Amino acid sequence: MAPKRVMLAVFFVIYPLKFFPAKSETWVKGRYWYSRSALPGLRINSALYTHLHCAFADVNSSSYELSLSESDERKFSSFTDTVKQKNPSVMTLLSTGGGDASYSTFSSMVSYSSFRKSFIDSSMRTAGLYGFQGLELGWASANSSSDMYNMGVLFKSGEPLSSWRQETLAMHNLY
């Protein structure tokens, strides 16, 4: 009977420590705002979040630069200022891709260093222009080993051309 009591005592001591965070931990609370949704950015209660993703920018199929439709450009340009009115500490991220992203465009973009450079430079320029603190790539259809490898090259540190990750970290002097 004693071993069962010890096991129960250990369970009730360890279980809360493992699954319930200490009060000093910081949680990331994120949300996507889809630019084509009916909910205007102004209606997001940004006080509830630490991170807000503005979704989704596209990649131009011939220049491999980040591209925004005219209506998205108006919405994206005011997103950061709008959500920071209620929560000045919320981090905003510019999300690229998503479920509707063109597989062939993304596959080509990650495959060639000149295409990656166009994407990196235009992503950084757009994020800076509109006040985003970070970038996110949502490429759900990367489905081959070469796509996965080339996506890794896009993010990899130490590539002769600046990587997307390095540039994003440099944006906040974290690199």
Side-chain angles (χ1 to χ4, degrees):
M1 189 65 128
K4 281 188 178 179
R5 279 191 218 151
V6 170
M7 288 303 288
L8 284 175
V10 169
F11 176 79
F12 287 113
V13 170
I14 293 176
Y15 181 81
L17 295 176
K18 185 171 184 176
F19 296 105
F20 298 104
K23 297 287 185 212
S24 64
E25 286 188 25
T26 302
W27 289 84
V28 172
K29 294 176 238 159
R31 176 183 178 171
Y32 281 84
W33 175 74
Y34 185 56
S35 64
R36 295 172 191 120
S37 73
L39 177 69
L42 188 58
R43 298 224 11 238
I44 296 172
N45 185 355
S46 59
L48 299 174
Y49 304 100
T50 59
H51 294 72
L52 289 170
H53 299 250
C54 186
F56 287 102
D58 296 314
V59 177
N60 182 290
S61 61
S62 55
S63 68
Y64 300 98
E65 291 186 347
L66 195 80
S67 67
L68 298 171
S69 68
E70 194 174 306
S71 67
D72 278 350
E73 191 158 357
R74 281 193 305 275
K75 295 172 186 177
F76 283 42
S77 67
S78 63
F79 181 79
T80 296
D81 289 338
T82 300
V83 299
K84 284 188 176 277
Q85 288 174 8
K86 291 181 186 168
N87 180 1
S89 64
V90 70
M91 286 198 63
T92 58
L93 293 97
L94 175 59
S95 295
T96 305
D100 297 335
S102 165
Y103 170 79
S104 59
T105 300
F106 272 73
S107 184
S108 295
M109 183 270 291
V110 298
S111 296
Y112 300 98
S113 62
S114 62
F115 296 170
R116 287 191 300 268
K117 181 160 177 37
S118 292
F119 174 71
I120 290 166
D121 292 347
S122 62
S123 295
M124 298 307 301
R125 187 172 50 251
T126 303
L129 180 65
Y130 298 139
F132 290 98
Q133 288 88 32
L135 297 162
E136 181 214 13
L137 180 69
W139 184 24
S141 61
N143 57 10
S144 71
S145 58
S146 64
D147 286 340
M148 297 304 285
Y149 174 81
N150 290 328
M151 189 167 33
V153 172
L154 174 69
F155 298 134
K156 181 182 171 195
S157 297
E159 182 180 347
L161 296 171
S162 295
S163 76
W164 201 47
R165 179 178 175 272
Q166 287 172 313
E167 292 295 327
T168 302
L169 292 173
M171 226 163 109
H172 299 288
N173 299 316
L174 298 173
Y175 182 70

